[in-house]
Amino acid sequence: MNDFDSKDFFTDPSFIPDPHPYFDHLRSECPVRFTGPRNVVAVTGFEECLAVLRDTATYSNINAATGPFPGMPFEPEGDDIGEQIERHRPEIPLNEHLVTMDPPQHTRVRRLLGGLFTPRRLAENEDFMWRLADRLIDTFHESGKVELLHQYAQPFALLTIADLLGVPEKDHAAFVAHLSTQTPGAMAEDGALGTNPALRTW
């Protein structure tokens, strides 16, 4: 006997060590079903997931990065809310990121970004990542301790993308300094997500 149906998958820390029994539970009942206190539809079947991902006319990516937390800044009206989504897109967290875009916008931006991912450019970026990893580790290895998120993971991700975008290494320090002084956007005083939660002070 379990209490999966009463738990909130998005906030309950008991799911962190091993979420798979929860997914198995959902899949055993139905590969597509409402679940938890947030009225979320969980899609756990492989074929069902493919059907949702491929049906861009029915489903939107707009909350792919945030899930159910911010909600929508409008009350959905009618069977097709595509026009409402686009009208309110600037109000939705992470709206300018590729993962939240729908066709044809997603197609256009993906085509533009495709030029960054040539085999030669990716090989150059991999070489940079090896050097970057060594350089970051050198900044804390002598102390014998590290705060992994702020001292390694965040600068590694930021500078890897900076290199991929063509920011010269001589400008990386200024690049990091500029972004690390931006106003945090992860959470407003009222607990709401900002439109770009990825931009935060380290």
Side-chain angles (χ1 to χ4, degrees):
M1 189 71 180
N2 63 62
D3 57 349
F4 283 148
D5 291 332
S6 64
K7 289 185 175 183
D8 185 348
F9 174 76
F10 295 94
T11 60
D12 193 321
S14 68
F15 287 115
I16 294 174
D18 183 11
H20 297 288
Y22 176 65
F23 299 146
D24 292 340
H25 166 73
L26 295 180
R27 197 176 297 112
S28 70
E29 294 197 342
C30 183
V32 181
R33 57 159 287 189
F34 281 102
T35 180
R38 298 182 187 276
N39 203 30
V40 169
V41 176
V43 183
T44 55
F46 179 75
E47 295 298 331
E48 291 78 10
C49 284
L50 287 181
V52 170
L53 292 171
R54 290 170 176 168
D55 188 356
T56 58
T58 303
Y59 304 101
S60 173
N61 293 321
I62 189 60
N63 65 347
T66 59
F69 291 106
M72 285 294 174
F74 61 87
E75 189 65 35
E77 298 176 358
D79 294 331
D80 185 350
I81 64 170
E83 188 277 331
Q84 285 182 283
I85 289 174
E86 293 312 312
R87 182 165 12 113
H88 292 275
R89 180 174 285 274
E91 306 165 43
I92 299 172
L94 295 169
N95 64 81
E96 77 278 25
H97 292 256
L98 183 63
V99 69
T100 68
M101 297 177 186
D102 299 311
Q105 182 187 27
H106 183 278
T107 306
R108 290 195 302 268
V109 175
R110 186 179 62 191
R111 189 174 295 125
L112 287 171
L113 291 174
L116 294 174
F117 298 101
T118 63
R120 177 181 175 181
R121 189 66 196 92
L122 291 177
E124 292 171 347
N125 190 234
E126 181 181 2
D127 289 341
F128 168 80
M129 286 190 286
W130 282 108
R131 297 196 312 273
L132 175 62
D134 288 341
R135 192 169 81 229
L136 291 174
I137 291 170
D138 285 345
T139 65
F140 56 73
H141 85 280
E142 288 185 2
S143 68
K145 60 182 179 180
V146 59
E147 199 292 303
L148 197 59
L149 180 62
H150 294 95
Q151 290 180 262
Y152 187 83
Q154 287 180 332
F156 185 88
L158 174 63
L159 291 176
T160 295
I161 296 302
D163 177 74
L164 190 60
L165 293 174
V167 177
E169 286 194 50
K170 65 182 179 63
D171 295 328
H172 283 186
F175 189 78
V176 170
H178 173 72
L179 288 184
S180 65
T181 59
Q182 300 301 305
T183 302
M187 198 71 74
E189 289 184 4
D190 62 0
L193 286 170
T195 55
N196 192 353
L199 197 59
R200 58 167 61 207
T201 298
W202 295 358

